[in-house]
Amino acid sequence: MDQVIQAAGCVLWRPAPSGRGIEIALVHRPKYDDWSHPKGKLKRGETPEECALREVREETGQSCVLGPRLPTAHYLANGRPKEVTYWSARALGGTFTPSREVDRLTWLAPGQARARLTQARDRDLLDTFQASRSS
């Protein structure tokens, strides 16, 4: 069996500028032409928490603070098993700079973010995040 690809990421959120509710950050990856939560592979010697913080910073320009753990996603990526550990994370500020890996960042209300997400597993993750905030 192939070695599992280890990755980490976040459902990144911030208070809405209107003062009502929150907004969710989604990143667009031109390589896959998809919208997803910020995430990426662990580097050698890096903890999942360190990876999640680094990936958010690299993909969105935002510093953040990790909140509660969210469910871990398990799926095949190019035929290899992949495991992505997720957290809820509150954005603390920063500036987005487009790159080859992520060319767009958008902040949307949770319902709009859910509709924009490409993968069902990312919508499920957002649903779990929403449920945990209201409980």
Side-chain angles (χ1 to χ4, degrees):
M1 177 161 163
D2 289 327
Q3 186 171 350
V4 176
I5 300 166
Q6 298 290 324
C10 294
V11 173
L12 184 65
W13 66 275
R14 70 180 183 191
S18 69
R20 286 171 289 175
I22 63 168
E23 293 181 329
I24 304 295
L26 299 183
V27 295
H28 181 262
R29 302 179 305 168
K31 179 178 179 180
Y32 303 106
D33 190 24
D34 70 352
W35 287 94
S36 68
H37 301 290
K39 65 181 176 298
K41 296 178 199 153
L42 270 71
K43 292 185 175 181
R44 187 179 308 274
E46 188 175 49
T47 67
E49 294 90 343
E50 290 167 339
C51 176
L53 292 168
R54 176 182 54 77
E55 287 293 336
V56 165
R57 191 171 47 257
E58 288 178 1
E59 293 189 357
T60 70
Q62 294 285 311
S63 60
C64 67
V65 60
L66 296 181
R69 276 279 306 270
L70 294 170
T72 298
H74 301 271
Y75 57 95
L76 291 178
N78 297 319
R80 291 185 56 202
K82 187 170 186 175
E83 181 177 288
V84 186
T85 306
Y86 282 102
W87 282 266
S88 162
R90 182 176 176 155
L92 300 175
T95 303
F96 174 69
T97 303
S99 69
R100 200 176 50 168
E101 186 180 353
V102 172
D103 63 350
R104 286 183 278 168
L105 167 71
T106 190
W107 290 93
L108 298 169
Q112 294 171 313
R114 190 179 194 288
R116 178 80 56 97
L117 286 162
T118 303
Q119 297 293 328
R121 65 179 166 264
D122 288 337
R123 291 190 291 275
D124 293 343
L125 184 67
L126 182 56
D127 291 345
T128 301
F129 164 79
Q130 288 276 95
S132 71
R133 282 185 53 83
S134 60
S135 57

